Amino acid sequence: MDFDNWLETYKKKKHKKYRHFDNPISLIEKRRDLLTNPEEICRHCFYPLIKILLRKNRLRKVLPLSSSNNSLKPKVKRDEPNIREILLCSHIDSLIYSYYAFLLSEKYETYLRKNHILDFPIAYRKLNGKCNIEFSHEAIEHIKNQKNGCWILLFDFKDFFGSLNHLVLKEKIQRVLNVERLPRDWFSIYKNITRYSFIAQEKIFEIKEIPAGERKKALKTSDRWFSPKEFRQLASHINRNSTGIGIPQGSPISAILSNVYMIDFDQELAEIISRLKGFYRRYSDDFIVVIPKSRVCDSDDIKNKIISLAENYDLKIEEHKTRIFYFNGRRIFEKSDNQYKTSILTFLGFSFNGRSSSIKSGTISRGYNKLLREAKILEKLLDKYEQGLTEEVPPVPNNLRERILYIENKKKISSGVKVKSYKKKNFITYGYKASKVFNNNEGVFHAMRNLRNRIGAKLRRYRKRRALAIDSKS
């Protein structure tokens, strides 16, 4: 029964194709005997993970030095890129971790319900289809209701997944599973996800002698990287995590393990905040605390108490990312060096200035730039066609249009006559949903409408150019 429930959930998700040490799995139903047999899991040999470094460029506005000329626009400066480490599991290992994550999630929900901490951890859980829109709305509405003022504290754990203590994690898993000792199959899962082996993707490129210009093309195929004979010769290039801390970020089971690790932290902090009649929510490594001003407390005392609590669980909080705000019922002020300056509170991609809420400006610009890059790819293909560099006719941007524009599509349910109307999810639909959740927020609605119109106009110009180019060639 567990397998059937997991399979139904697994098939609903969209799984990205990627290249690894094994081939993609097509018929998942045939893996029932492996996934549901503990002895098979104990005998299974897990592949090394592939370490990928994701680079994200960061920009920030810099005000001009001269304040006499108010017409000067702020310059955009490129900061040091944010590099995130992701470790990819092989296809078969990913399937195993996904199934055991499903089993652990059910036990975890039971534990939360039994210990009355259901409301506090909000990431990586099925909460009636809620997402960060509803979570940020809940936090902002709670702040708005504090008419007498309140303190707001934002925290961020440093290297969250890489800091989890293995022995502490093992004890927490046993407690959630309600066992004194991990069963052999669960111990195999625990051992392989904590003492994982890995190889850098760059090293694979070097071994395969793939030049830099051809690496993106090499990643698009789903063929396994090495034959079984070649794979056995990689031993000298494979590393192992033997530090006693850290789990890989990117595996299907890592998210639920991080929540399980935090059960005591969540419970203890929730009790502290509830005594102060406050509000606490944690989304993975980010969490927010709201304390009413009417209570006898100091924001710095609360901050130090929370930092000390995190250290008890071998976790460190990013000091430079910890921010203290004060809401006086009308405006948001940020505390900095014992001074308060008018500011904007940002939580889970949404900002609040004390009066109104909106999607974070950086989120909108990133969404627009992502869609714009995809539209520019079509324009480059069209340029080559017009210049006679290729005979291939540029594609009609139907798929891109469906992703960008808020349009209704038809999907056949079966070979019969019935059809189902649905709306494809994209950044525009995300914005419209946010507008509704935030009480028909006109600012968010207009921002999404403008974004849709700008991209739509670009696609219409592309269609006209494409039609003229095809006519001139015929």
mmCIF file of all heavy atoms in Angstrom, residues 366-381:
data_model
loop_
_atom_site.group_PDB
_atom_site.id
_atom_site.type_symbol
_atom_site.label_atom_id
_atom_site.label_comp_id
_atom_site.label_asym_id
_atom_site.label_seq_id
_atom_site.Cartn_x
_atom_site.Cartn_y
_atom_site.Cartn_z
ATOM 1 N N ARG A 366 14.279 39.012 -11.936
ATOM 2 C CA ARG A 366 14.858 37.712 -12.303
ATOM 3 C C ARG A 366 13.893 36.916 -13.173
ATOM 4 O O ARG A 366 14.298 36.266 -14.139
ATOM 5 C CB ARG A 366 15.218 36.912 -11.046
ATOM 6 C CG ARG A 366 16.512 37.340 -10.397
ATOM 7 C CD ARG A 366 16.996 36.299 -9.401
ATOM 8 N NE ARG A 366 16.036 36.085 -8.326
ATOM 9 C CZ ARG A 366 16.020 36.781 -7.204
ATOM 10 N NH1 ARG A 366 16.900 37.755 -7.015
ATOM 11 N NH2 ARG A 366 15.130 36.530 -6.274
ATOM 12 N N GLY A 367 12.603 36.969 -12.826
ATOM 13 C CA GLY A 367 11.605 36.267 -13.643
ATOM 14 C C GLY A 367 11.545 36.815 -15.052
ATOM 15 O O GLY A 367 11.484 36.060 -16.028
ATOM 16 N N TYR A 368 11.585 38.146 -15.161
ATOM 17 C CA TYR A 368 11.547 38.778 -16.493
ATOM 18 C C TYR A 368 12.802 38.438 -17.289
ATOM 19 O O TYR A 368 12.722 38.092 -18.481
ATOM 20 C CB TYR A 368 11.410 40.288 -16.344
ATOM 21 C CG TYR A 368 11.525 41.038 -17.652
ATOM 22 C CD1 TYR A 368 10.504 40.964 -18.598
ATOM 23 C CD2 TYR A 368 12.654 41.789 -17.942
ATOM 24 C CE1 TYR A 368 10.605 41.643 -19.807
ATOM 25 C CE2 TYR A 368 12.760 42.461 -19.144
ATOM 26 C CZ TYR A 368 11.738 42.389 -20.073
ATOM 27 O OH TYR A 368 11.848 43.051 -21.265
ATOM 28 N N ASN A 369 13.961 38.522 -16.654
ATOM 29 C CA ASN A 369 15.215 38.254 -17.362
ATOM 30 C C ASN A 369 15.306 36.810 -17.843
ATOM 31 O O ASN A 369 15.843 36.533 -18.920
ATOM 32 C CB ASN A 369 16.412 38.584 -16.470
ATOM 33 C CG ASN A 369 16.575 40.069 -16.245
ATOM 34 O OD1 ASN A 369 16.179 40.874 -17.090
ATOM 35 N ND2 ASN A 369 17.149 40.453 -15.120
ATOM 36 N N LYS A 370 14.762 35.883 -17.046
ATOM 37 C CA LYS A 370 14.774 34.476 -17.453
ATOM 38 C C LYS A 370 13.921 34.267 -18.703
ATOM 39 O O LYS A 370 14.334 33.600 -19.651
ATOM 40 C CB LYS A 370 14.260 33.603 -16.305
ATOM 41 C CG LYS A 370 14.314 32.114 -16.620
ATOM 42 C CD LYS A 370 13.836 31.287 -15.444
ATOM 43 C CE LYS A 370 13.879 29.800 -15.773
ATOM 44 N NZ LYS A 370 13.391 28.974 -14.647
ATOM 45 N N LEU A 371 12.716 34.845 -18.710
ATOM 46 C CA LEU A 371 11.847 34.726 -19.881
ATOM 47 C C LEU A 371 12.443 35.468 -21.077
ATOM 48 O O LEU A 371 12.329 35.026 -22.212
ATOM 49 C CB LEU A 371 10.455 35.277 -19.552
ATOM 50 C CG LEU A 371 9.704 34.565 -18.423
ATOM 51 C CD1 LEU A 371 8.396 35.265 -18.131
ATOM 52 C CD2 LEU A 371 9.451 33.110 -18.763
ATOM 53 N N LEU A 372 13.094 36.599 -20.806
ATOM 54 C CA LEU A 372 13.699 37.386 -21.873
ATOM 55 C C LEU A 372 14.840 36.625 -22.535
ATOM 56 O O LEU A 372 14.996 36.668 -23.763
ATOM 57 C CB LEU A 372 14.209 38.710 -21.305
ATOM 58 C CG LEU A 372 14.663 39.771 -22.307
ATOM 59 C CD1 LEU A 372 13.498 40.198 -23.191
ATOM 60 C CD2 LEU A 372 15.260 40.963 -21.592
ATOM 61 N N ARG A 373 15.636 35.908 -21.739
ATOM 62 C CA ARG A 373 16.745 35.128 -22.308
ATOM 63 C C ARG A 373 16.233 34.067 -23.265
ATOM 64 O O ARG A 373 16.814 33.821 -24.320
ATOM 65 C CB ARG A 373 17.554 34.471 -21.181
ATOM 66 C CG ARG A 373 18.507 35.397 -20.477
ATOM 67 C CD ARG A 373 19.523 34.628 -19.653
ATOM 68 N NE ARG A 373 18.906 33.823 -18.619
ATOM 69 C CZ ARG A 373 18.635 34.256 -17.402
ATOM 70 N NH1 ARG A 373 18.917 35.496 -17.057
ATOM 71 N NH2 ARG A 373 18.091 33.459 -16.502
ATOM 72 N N GLU A 374 15.115 33.418 -22.900
ATOM 73 C CA GLU A 374 14.563 32.382 -23.763
ATOM 74 C C GLU A 374 14.013 32.979 -25.049
ATOM 75 O O GLU A 374 14.105 32.362 -26.124
ATOM 76 C CB GLU A 374 13.486 31.610 -23.007
ATOM 77 C CG GLU A 374 14.040 30.911 -21.777
ATOM 78 C CD GLU A 374 13.041 29.947 -21.171
ATOM 79 O OE1 GLU A 374 12.211 29.404 -21.911
ATOM 80 O OE2 GLU A 374 13.097 29.745 -19.946
ATOM 81 N N ALA A 375 13.421 34.164 -24.957
ATOM 82 C CA ALA A 375 12.939 34.833 -26.163
ATOM 83 C C ALA A 375 14.101 35.244 -27.061
ATOM 84 O O ALA A 375 14.002 35.187 -28.291
ATOM 85 C CB ALA A 375 12.098 36.053 -25.779
ATOM 86 N N LYS A 376 15.234 35.636 -26.466
ATOM 87 C CA LYS A 376 16.397 36.043 -27.255
ATOM 88 C C LYS A 376 17.020 34.872 -28.000
ATOM 89 O O LYS A 376 17.622 35.050 -29.068
ATOM 90 C CB LYS A 376 17.440 36.705 -26.340
ATOM 91 C CG LYS A 376 17.085 38.134 -25.944
ATOM 92 C CD LYS A 376 18.179 38.763 -25.102
ATOM 93 C CE LYS A 376 17.843 40.216 -24.788
ATOM 94 N NZ LYS A 376 18.878 40.854 -23.937
ATOM 95 N N ILE A 377 16.906 33.669 -27.449
ATOM 96 C CA ILE A 377 17.414 32.483 -28.143
ATOM 97 C C ILE A 377 16.698 32.317 -29.482
ATOM 98 O O ILE A 377 17.319 32.021 -30.511
ATOM 99 C CB ILE A 377 17.229 31.226 -27.262
ATOM 100 C CG1 ILE A 377 18.158 31.289 -26.055
ATOM 101 C CG2 ILE A 377 17.492 29.953 -28.058
ATOM 102 C CD1 ILE A 377 17.938 30.214 -25.030
ATOM 103 N N LEU A 378 15.374 32.541 -29.475
ATOM 104 C CA LEU A 378 14.605 32.459 -30.725
ATOM 105 C C LEU A 378 15.069 33.524 -31.716
ATOM 106 O O LEU A 378 15.181 33.264 -32.923
ATOM 107 C CB LEU A 378 13.112 32.634 -30.430
ATOM 108 C CG LEU A 378 12.440 31.540 -29.594
ATOM 109 C CD1 LEU A 378 11.013 31.936 -29.273
ATOM 110 C CD2 LEU A 378 12.460 30.217 -30.322
ATOM 111 N N GLU A 379 15.347 34.720 -31.229
ATOM 112 C CA GLU A 379 15.793 35.802 -32.105
ATOM 113 C C GLU A 379 17.140 35.487 -32.739
ATOM 114 O O GLU A 379 17.384 35.803 -33.907
ATOM 115 C CB GLU A 379 15.869 37.113 -31.324
ATOM 116 C CG GLU A 379 14.497 37.652 -30.918
ATOM 117 C CD GLU A 379 14.603 38.977 -30.181
ATOM 118 O OE1 GLU A 379 15.705 39.268 -29.661
ATOM 119 O OE2 GLU A 379 13.603 39.704 -30.140
ATOM 120 N N LYS A 380 18.045 34.855 -31.995
ATOM 121 C CA LYS A 380 19.348 34.484 -32.548
ATOM 122 C C LYS A 380 19.195 33.438 -33.645
ATOM 123 O O LYS A 380 19.892 33.489 -34.668
ATOM 124 C CB LYS A 380 20.256 33.961 -31.431
ATOM 125 C CG LYS A 380 20.773 35.043 -30.499
ATOM 126 C CD LYS A 380 21.713 34.474 -29.461
ATOM 127 C CE LYS A 380 22.236 35.584 -28.540
ATOM 128 N NZ LYS A 380 23.155 35.042 -27.502
ATOM 129 N N LEU A 381 18.294 32.481 -33.440
ATOM 130 C CA LEU A 381 18.040 31.477 -34.479
ATOM 131 C C LEU A 381 17.484 32.132 -35.740
ATOM 132 O O LEU A 381 17.837 31.762 -36.863
ATOM 133 C CB LEU A 381 17.052 30.420 -33.958
ATOM 134 C CG LEU A 381 17.538 29.523 -32.818
ATOM 135 C CD1 LEU A 381 16.407 28.631 -32.320
ATOM 136 C CD2 LEU A 381 18.705 28.656 -33.283
#
